[in-house]
Amino acid sequence: MPAEIIDGRKISADIREELKQRVEKLKGKGVTPGLIAILVGEDPGSLSYLRGIAKGCEALGIFTETAKLPENVTQEELEKKIEELNKDPKCHGIILQLPLPKHLNTLRAESAISPEKDVDGTNPVNTGKLLLGEETFLPSTPSGVQQLLVRSGNPPEKKHVVICGRSNIVGKPLMGILVQKQTGANATVTVCHTGTKDLPAITKQADILVAAMGKAKAITADMVKEGTVVIDVGVNQIKDPETGKFKLVGDVDFDAVKDKAGAITPVPGGTGPVTTTMLMANTIKAAEEITKS
Amino acid sequence: MATTILDGRKLSSEIRGELKERASKLKEKGVTPGLGGILVGEDPGSVTYVGLKSKACEEVGIKEEVIRLPENVTEEELLNNIGRLNQDPKIHGIFIQLPLPKHLLEEKALAAILPEKDVDGFHPLSVGKAWLGQSTFFPAVVIAIHEMLTRYGYDPKDKEVVIVNVDNMVGKPLASLLVQDKEKAKANVTLCYPTTPELASYTRRADIFIVSVNRPKFITADMVKEGAVVMDFGSNWLEDPVTKKRKTVGDVDFEAVKEKAEAITPVPGGVGPMLVTMLLVNTVQAAEMQSGVK
């Protein structure tokens, strides 16, 4: 039986409907949630990503702006800008678009973002809180994966989740989220990596398999158990051998795996749309927190 | 084949020997490593444990200062005392003896410790840095287990590590150390709850098997792979049916499992004796870092 396709666009739209109502409530109290992105340089990929976020924010009624800094900005100037936004009352959430140029210290910059406005969850204090199960902002990609699972009717509770890839933005925080003793989590989680010797032996154990290795077609059909829920976080640009055109594919060999999986996310249209939505959700949460206190 | 018994007492005393040397090197440069502790109330377990820490500090050459506060101390007073230790340049590491009385928020107290002095590694910033692979302090039990593995020649790299415990003090920080893309780490790590369905199907895959659930004989021989390295961090009181004496046992059915394991920690005498020593390791390291002496 072919797999159920988990429709990230549809789930994302559902979440945005809920978010709209929360924005209206905030506006009723005179608060417009605001998200400000810091972009160093003019990387076209980053610009197009931020345009997507801006569009989504506008549709929800979130104020948004990109603070553009020149490629050769100094660390001090960058941190000054962050400090300014930390104090800016119309800014509830700050995102620092990565990668930064090589002369800048990413970690120091991320640590400078006020934890209360750190809607990408990159400040190490928030990473710690996430792992400890304390209230914080969950980074948007792993948080989106959790939403996809829960909202597609495949909750991770009591399931064996195998995560391939242990980056600081996906694999590790996802493990941190899914092991918590909380609703929508409570899973038994294994983290492995591309260097793992017998990767198929581990991936075949999975009830839920998350691919986040950044390698096209790294997960093949023989690595997947019949009925597994497969979440593909990978985004890789490859050249189509027939048309010669570039296209986006995930880390999973979609066409082959979909015949074995119980459910699967496509690329594009799977984890991507939900990721940006979670960033908006965090911005609204930040604005709600400030209104509360 | 003889099973290797991972002897925490022996290893602990070896490491204390190394620490003595590092402490005396620091002293030559005019720095005496200092550990500050806070003990609230008179819980007998906590009092005993703080006493063990004091004795160990003395043995190694660390100056220790324990602030004893009454059971009914206010949060403000507690935080003031933490602040005092934070500012004292003679104190390089700080611990708060847990558990605190119920009216005090542990989370808040732990977060008040200066991260550079957080030798227990419980501050959210320390936890976050550890998870992100940055240099920081890990909780004693984590380095205890890691040191025991690596000093006995069991490098976790590329191994399947299964941890039965998902707590903030054990499972999560252990995973945090072992998944990093670093030497003596880079393992495939699985975190299981004791209630994980079909637990044995996970544990039987483990090359390195770590358990801390505080249930006697919870891990039986059929749950262990032939040749596994078994680390038992459980501690349970049991009455001996014959002698009627109470004794400490771990979570692993030691006698049966040791026939299958390549190496195993006994209880008592395994991870336990390493804990205090690991706090001292962090304290000496904190002193070295803060004074720039190494």
Side-chain angles (χ1 to χ4, degrees):
Chain A
M1 205 179 70
E4 170 207 338
I5 305 298
I6 299 177
D7 185 345
R9 291 201 182 98
K10 164 85 175 47
I11 290 174
S12 167
D14 290 348
I15 301 173
R16 289 188 193 199
E17 263 322 299
E18 299 163 21
L19 293 180
K20 230 184 229 170
Q21 293 175 14
R22 285 165 64 187
V23 173
E24 269 157 33
K25 244 193 196 163
L26 279 165
K27 287 196 172 162
K29 293 181 191 163
V31 178
T32 301
L35 175 67
I36 297 184
I38 300 175
L39 174 65
V40 179
E42 307 257 333
D43 174 61
S46 295
L47 277 167
S48 110
Y49 174 74
L50 293 177
R51 261 199 305 275
I53 290 176
K55 233 172 94 187
C57 283
E58 274 157 28
L60 289 184
I62 298 174
F63 166 78
T64 178
E65 214 172 66
T66 299
K68 287 190 188 163
L69 299 174
E71 182 80 26
N72 62 357
V73 69
T74 65
Q75 182 81 24
E76 203 189 347
E77 287 165 329
L78 172 62
E79 286 177 27
K80 214 177 118 199
K81 183 73 205 173
I82 294 170
E83 209 38 63
E84 205 179 283
L85 294 177
N86 283 343
K87 289 184 190 139
D88 183 347
K90 68 176 188 304
C91 166
H92 301 99
I94 301 171
I95 52 176
L96 177 63
Q97 184 60 29
L98 299 183
L100 293 177
K102 287 218 165 61
H103 69 281
L104 296 172
N105 183 330
T106 303
L107 177 67
R108 258 182 58 198
E110 286 175 337
S111 305
I113 298 174
S114 157
E116 290 79 30
K117 297 191 176 187
D118 176 31
V119 288
D120 249 346
T122 53
N123 186 318
V125 169
N126 285 337
T127 310
K129 289 185 164 183
L130 183 162
L131 193 61
L132 294 167
E134 293 172 17
E135 189 56 38
T136 183
F137 295 110
L138 305 180
S140 50
T141 304
S143 160
V145 171
Q146 183 186 34
Q147 287 299 323
L148 283 173
L149 289 171
V150 172
R151 291 180 185 250
S152 66
N154 298 292
E157 271 96 350
K158 301 271 175 193
K159 292 292 191 319
H160 186 196
V161 181
V162 175
I163 304 168
C164 297
R166 42 149 181 215
S167 69
N168 283 343
I169 52 170
V170 187
K172 287 188 210 162
L174 184 59
M175 182 185 215
I177 291 170
L178 295 180
V179 297
Q180 302 300 333
K181 288 181 187 120
Q182 288 165 6
T183 323
N186 233 325
T188 301
V189 181
T190 301
V191 172
C192 42
H193 49 94
T194 40
T196 295
K197 270 188 205 141
D198 192 0
L199 194 57
I202 300 177
T203 56
K204 269 194 231 154
Q205 312 281 318
D207 302 314
I208 296 169
L209 180 62
V210 181
M213 301 129 104
K215 210 174 132 193
K217 296 198 179 182
I219 302 291
T220 49
D222 59 316
M223 296 170 76
V224 180
K225 182 176 74 175
E226 200 80 40
T228 302
V229 176
V230 180
I231 305 287
D232 190 348
V233 185
V235 183
N236 310 288
Q237 224 179 28
I238 61 161
K239 201 170 169 179
D240 191 306
E242 282 162 36
T243 65
K245 277 189 192 156
F246 281 97
K247 61 170 188 175
L248 287 185
V249 297
D251 290 350
V252 177
D253 183 359
F254 183 83
D255 288 321
V257 171
K258 80 175 189 319
D259 294 327
K260 271 179 110 179
I264 188 168
T265 58
V267 176
T271 51
V274 187
T275 297
T276 45
T277 302
M278 298 325 290
L279 191 59
M280 295 165 206
N282 279 348
T283 304
I284 294 166
K285 183 177 157 185
E288 287 168 346
E289 287 299 322
I290 281 177
T291 328
K292 254 192 249 165
S293 56
Chain B
M1 192 191 65
T3 308
T4 304
I5 303 297
L6 304 171
D7 185 341
R9 290 200 185 102
K10 182 166 155 273
L11 206 53
S12 171
S13 92
E14 264 175 46
I15 295 173
R16 286 190 191 186
E18 298 165 15
L19 286 176
K20 247 183 233 174
E21 283 176 30
R22 283 165 68 183
S24 60
K25 241 191 209 164
L26 278 162
K27 277 181 200 165
E28 282 166 24
K29 306 262 166 76
V31 180
T32 302
L35 177 65
I38 293 189
L39 172 64
V40 179
E42 300 185 348
D43 171 70
S46 295
V47 172
T48 307
Y49 205 65
V50 168
L52 285 177
K53 289 178 182 172
S54 304
K55 233 176 93 185
C57 280
E58 205 178 318
E59 181 191 330
V60 168
I62 295 173
K63 172 101 179 64
E64 202 219 25
E65 182 193 341
V66 178
I67 300 177
R68 289 163 202 268
L69 300 171
E71 181 81 25
N72 62 359
V73 67
T74 63
E75 181 179 279
E76 200 191 340
E77 280 173 84
L78 173 64
L79 295 178
N80 283 342
N81 278 288
I82 296 169
R84 212 189 88 203
L85 292 174
N86 280 342
Q87 273 158 29
D88 187 341
K90 294 193 297 297
I91 297 291
H92 304 100
I94 300 170
F95 72 87
I96 299 172
Q97 191 61 42
L98 301 179
L100 291 176
K102 288 224 163 57
H103 70 282
L104 298 169
L105 274 180
E106 284 180 0
E107 209 175 289
K108 204 165 168 186
L110 295 173
I113 296 174
L114 207 61
E116 297 91 280
K117 299 190 177 186
D118 177 34
V119 286
D120 264 338
F122 294 150
H123 190 292
L125 184 63
S126 308
V127 176
K129 284 177 136 188
W131 194 229
L132 296 169
Q134 299 160 18
S135 150
T136 183
F137 295 109
F138 280 92
V141 59
V142 173
I143 34 176
I145 287 172
H146 192 246
E147 286 289 308
M148 291 184 92
L149 285 172
T150 52
R151 287 190 186 229
Y152 272 96
Y154 301 109
D155 189 337
K157 188 168 174 236
D158 285 331
K159 292 290 186 297
E160 279 211 45
V161 180
V162 176
I163 304 165
V164 186
N165 180 302
V166 192
D167 293 346
N168 286 343
M169 308 275 173
V170 185
K172 289 179 197 167
L174 251 177
S176 186
L177 178 65
L178 294 173
V179 300
Q180 302 303 332
D181 197 354
K182 289 182 179 168
E183 286 302 305
K184 296 181 182 174
K186 228 180 170 176
N188 302 301
V189 180
T190 303
L191 283 178
C192 299
Y193 284 92
T195 54
T196 288
E198 295 177 65
L199 183 61
S201 71
Y202 299 90
T203 61
R204 268 191 226 119
R205 303 180 48 81
D207 303 311
I208 296 170
F209 180 8
I210 303 162
V211 59
S212 173
V213 298
N214 288 337
R215 294 188 207 170
K217 296 199 179 182
F218 183 71
I219 302 300
T220 47
D222 61 310
M223 297 172 79
V224 178
K225 183 169 90 172
E226 196 83 40
V229 176
V230 180
M231 315 279 299
D232 185 351
F233 186 53
S235 177
N236 311 286
W237 283 96
L238 268 196
E239 196 182 79
D240 189 298
V242 183
T243 64
K244 299 289 176 203
K245 272 193 196 155
R246 296 222 297 162
K247 60 169 186 176
T248 308
V249 298
D251 295 337
V252 174
D253 183 355
F254 183 81
E255 291 306 326
V257 170
K258 86 170 191 314
E259 300 301 319
K260 276 179 103 176
E262 149 95 22
I264 187 168
T265 55
V267 176
V271 184
M274 296 280 291
L275 294 179
V276 171
T277 305
M278 294 301 116
L279 178 66
L280 308 188
V281 169
N282 279 350
T283 306
V284 170
Q285 197 191 326
E288 288 168 347
M289 279 161 49
Q290 285 162 40
S291 62
V293 173
K294 192 152 187 196

